[in-house]
């Protein structure tokens, strides 16, 4: 191979390493984060009293929500580190932390053996995962947006949520395999531990891949100058408020109809666990397939039109989605698939939109804090509210809540400037 050929191959190899490391680590984050909601029906009574199954499920979902409370703290900490010492090092730290917490859940003692200490261990592990997740998503979104060509940033940014959905889907598939292989008693006894233990092992691979990644050119060119953080955040407070307003609708709909829908269908709609998990896998494949097209479309017509298609279209179709998703796996899939078409339009380009809001010196932390606040308040409570409101006020009331938040995000989008093709350096 000639020197010229080697020089041409080096950037391509580096870019492949960057994309694989980002996607693999991010998929692991969502695998570890999502398997909690997926396996709640199986482990709830292992960490809480077995006297009331429904109460145990609600308690487990409450812990799910508490984990989100730690995300703004983690977003600030890891976001600050990403803007100070680099995106790559921070991304390695977040993926190692979330994998370690997953492993702890996998080996944790049960309520029957140590009482309330089991509940406390579960709670602490989820708080640690919340800290790591609060920093992982903003850091990974920032990293990918900074290495992407400006003219294709929308399409490239779809890799973040493709990895997210893929990681969650791997968890669903694993749940499907386990429920087909093990009896119900075995799933409640030890089967639920397997995905958490595997998450710890997968973490080692992800850390290795991310340690080989190169730092982004935008961060490197910013140099050693790091302005005081608080004045910069105050100066960009309008952008921070926009992040919250933009995120609330997408977050709650994503968690309701992508992450938690199979578990909700099993525990509340009484869809068979196998059927619900298959519906989740099939709709996730559709979600992954259409995201690059929405990303590419935003590179051609702009971010705002695609975001408005997602929010307004989602608001219009959520009640038909509710009517479709009833007590059969096929109807559940039909509802999730319809929701996926509109959800994918927005989430596919959110990483690009967020990155285009802030300058390099505070891009990670400027996004991390307001985004984590929005996710903690609305995403973390979504599975719990979906279950509680559905049981006490009816499913239509919860759907109305989703529609309202999507319309809030639509109003925010309408007031935003168009940022397609913006130079991030």
């Amino acid at each position: 191979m000639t020197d010229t050929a080697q020089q041409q191959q080096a950037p391509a190899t580096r870019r492949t390493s960057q994309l694989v490391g980002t996607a693999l680590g991010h998929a692991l984050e969502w695998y570890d984060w999502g398997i909690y909601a997926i396996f709640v029906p199986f482990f709830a009574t292992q960490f809480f009293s077995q006297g009331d199954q429904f109460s145990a499920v609600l308690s487990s979902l409450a812990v799910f929500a508490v984990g989100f409370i730690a995300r703004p703290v983690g977003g600030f900490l890891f976001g600050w580190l990403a803007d100070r010492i680099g995106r790559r090092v921070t991304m390695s730290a977040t993926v190692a932390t979330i994998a370690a917490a997953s492993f702890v859940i996998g080996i944790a003692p049960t309520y029957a053996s140590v009482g309330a200490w089991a509940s406390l261990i579960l709670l602490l592990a989820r708080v640690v995962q919340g800290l790591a997740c609060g920093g992982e998503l903003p850091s990974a979104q920032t990293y990918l947006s900074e290495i992407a060509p400006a003219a294709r940033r929308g399409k490239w940014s779809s890799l973040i949520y493709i990895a997210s959905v893929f990681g969650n889907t791997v968890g669903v598939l694993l749940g499907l395999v386990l429920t087909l292989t093990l009896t119900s008693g075995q799933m409640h006894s030890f089967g639920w531990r397997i995905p958490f233990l595997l998450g710890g092992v997968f973490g080692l691979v992800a850390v290795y891949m991310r340690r080989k990644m190169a730092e982004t050119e935008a961060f490197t060119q910013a140099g050693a100058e790091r302005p005081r953080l608080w004045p910069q955040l105050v100066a960009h407070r309008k952008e921070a408020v926009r992040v919250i307003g933009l995120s609330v609708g997408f977050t709650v709909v994503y968690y309701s109809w992508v992450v938690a829908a199979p578990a909700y269908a099993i525990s509340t709609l009484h869809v068979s666990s196998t059927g619900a998990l298959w519906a989740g896998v099939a709709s996730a494949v559709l979600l992954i397939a259409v995201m690059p097209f929405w990303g590419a479309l935003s590179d051609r017509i702009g971010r705002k039109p695609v975001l408005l298609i997602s929010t307004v279209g989602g608001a219009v179709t959520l009640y038909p989605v509710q009517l479709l998703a009833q007590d059969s796996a096929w109807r559940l899939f039909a509802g999730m698939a319809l929701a996926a078409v509109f959800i994918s339009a927005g989430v596919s380009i959110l990483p690009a939109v967020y990155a285009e809001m802030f300058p390099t010196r505070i891009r990670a932390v400027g996004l991390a804090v307001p985004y984590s606040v929005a996710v903690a308040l609305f995403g973390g409570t979504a599975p719990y509210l979906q279950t509680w409101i559905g049981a006490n006020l009816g499913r239509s009331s919860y759907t109305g809540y989703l529609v309202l938040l999507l319309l809030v995000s639509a109003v925010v989008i309408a007031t935003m400037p168009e940022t397609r093709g913006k130079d991030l350096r």
Side-chain angles (χ1 to χ4, degrees):
M1 182 180 295
T2 65
D3 291 342
T4 301
Q6 289 177 335
Q7 291 172 356
Q8 292 175 342
Q9 186 181 39
T13 302
R14 182 173 63 251
R15 187 61 54 85
T16 299
S17 174
Q18 290 173 316
L19 292 175
V20 172
T22 303
L24 182 63
H26 203 67
L28 172 69
E29 180 213 5
W30 278 88
Y31 167 86
D32 282 333
W33 192 253
I35 56 176
Y36 185 99
I38 294 167
F39 287 90
V40 158
F42 303 109
F43 71 72
T45 54
Q46 299 298 307
F47 289 100
F48 299 94
S49 174
Q50 299 184 17
D52 186 341
Q53 171 73 21
F54 184 70
S55 176
V57 169
L58 282 181
S59 297
S60 299
L61 292 177
V63 171
F64 183 82
V66 170
F68 279 81
I69 296 176
R71 290 185 68 152
V73 178
F76 179 84
L77 173 62
F78 288 109
W80 178 80
L81 288 174
D83 286 332
R84 289 284 168 171
I85 65 176
R87 290 45 164 133
R88 181 185 64 84
V89 174
T90 304
M91 290 164 63
S92 297
T94 57
V95 77
T97 302
I98 195 170
S102 179
F103 189 81
V104 168
I105 295 176
I107 63 174
T110 64
Y111 186 91
S113 61
V114 297
W117 286 104
S119 307
L120 180 61
I121 291 172
L122 178 68
L123 175 64
L124 292 176
R126 286 299 289 182
V127 168
V128 170
Q129 285 191 324
L131 290 171
C133 284
E136 160 65 21
L137 188 62
S139 300
Q141 289 182 345
T142 298
Y143 185 89
L144 183 61
S145 295
E146 288 182 348
I147 66 173
R152 291 185 291 164
R153 190 178 297 127
K155 184 176 182 179
W156 278 46
S157 74
S158 67
L159 179 64
I160 288 292
Y161 277 91
I162 288 175
S164 299
V165 177
F166 176 78
N168 188 69
T169 304
V170 169
V172 174
L173 281 172
L174 183 55
L176 182 62
V177 171
L178 290 175
T179 56
L180 291 173
T181 305
L182 304 177
T183 66
S184 176
Q186 290 172 328
M187 281 297 300
H188 285 80
S189 176
F190 67 87
W192 64 267
R193 295 184 182 273
I194 295 173
F196 291 99
L197 295 174
L198 288 175
V201 176
F202 295 157
L204 298 177
V205 179
V207 171
Y208 173 76
M209 290 297 301
R210 286 193 165 180
R211 286 176 60 87
K212 296 173 59 178
M213 292 161 50
E215 186 54 80
T216 71
E217 186 177 348
F219 179 83
T220 303
Q221 290 184 348
E225 181 183 356
R226 298 290 181 264
R228 292 175 60 192
L229 178 60
W230 183 248
Q232 289 297 318
L233 291 177
V234 171
H236 292 85
R237 58 189 180 277
K238 182 184 295 186
E239 288 80 1
V241 172
R242 281 177 176 159
V243 169
I244 294 175
L246 179 61
S247 302
V248 292
F250 291 113
T251 296
V252 74
V253 173
Y254 184 86
Y255 273 93
S256 298
W257 283 105
V258 177
V259 177
Y264 176 79
I266 294 170
S267 62
T268 304
L269 300 181
H270 307 297
V271 178
S272 70
S273 57
T274 301
L277 293 174
W278 270 122
V281 170
S283 63
V285 170
L286 174 64
L287 188 67
I288 290 172
V290 298
M291 278 195 281
F293 294 99
W294 286 117
L297 182 63
S298 78
D299 287 327
R300 297 191 63 179
I301 68 173
R303 314 295 189 219
K304 289 180 63 174
V306 175
L307 291 174
L308 288 172
I309 290 171
S310 181
T311 50
V312 177
V316 169
T317 57
L318 275 181
Y319 276 105
V321 165
Q322 175 192 309
L323 292 174
L324 283 171
Q326 298 294 334
D327 56 354
S328 75
W330 281 108
R331 296 191 66 174
L332 176 64
F333 164 72
M336 293 182 69
L338 179 57
V341 172
F342 291 99
I343 291 172
S344 62
V347 299
S348 64
I349 64 172
L350 282 179
V353 174
Y354 290 141
E356 290 161 351
M357 288 184 179
F358 297 95
T360 300
R361 58 184 178 272
I362 62 160
R363 182 166 293 128
V365 72
L367 162 62
V369 175
Y371 178 81
S372 297
V373 168
V375 171
L377 292 176
F378 296 93
T381 57
Y384 183 93
L385 290 176
Q386 187 176 30
T387 302
W388 188 89
I389 294 177
N392 292 278
L393 302 177
R395 294 176 65 196
S396 294
S397 297
Y398 184 74
T399 300
Y401 169 68
L402 299 185
V403 170
L404 176 63
L405 292 181
L406 280 174
L407 293 178
V408 168
S409 292
V411 171
V412 173
I413 293 164
T415 65
M416 290 170 50
E418 179 59 60
T419 56
R420 174 177 58 122
K422 182 178 179 180
D423 187 0
L424 299 185
R425 297 178 184 177

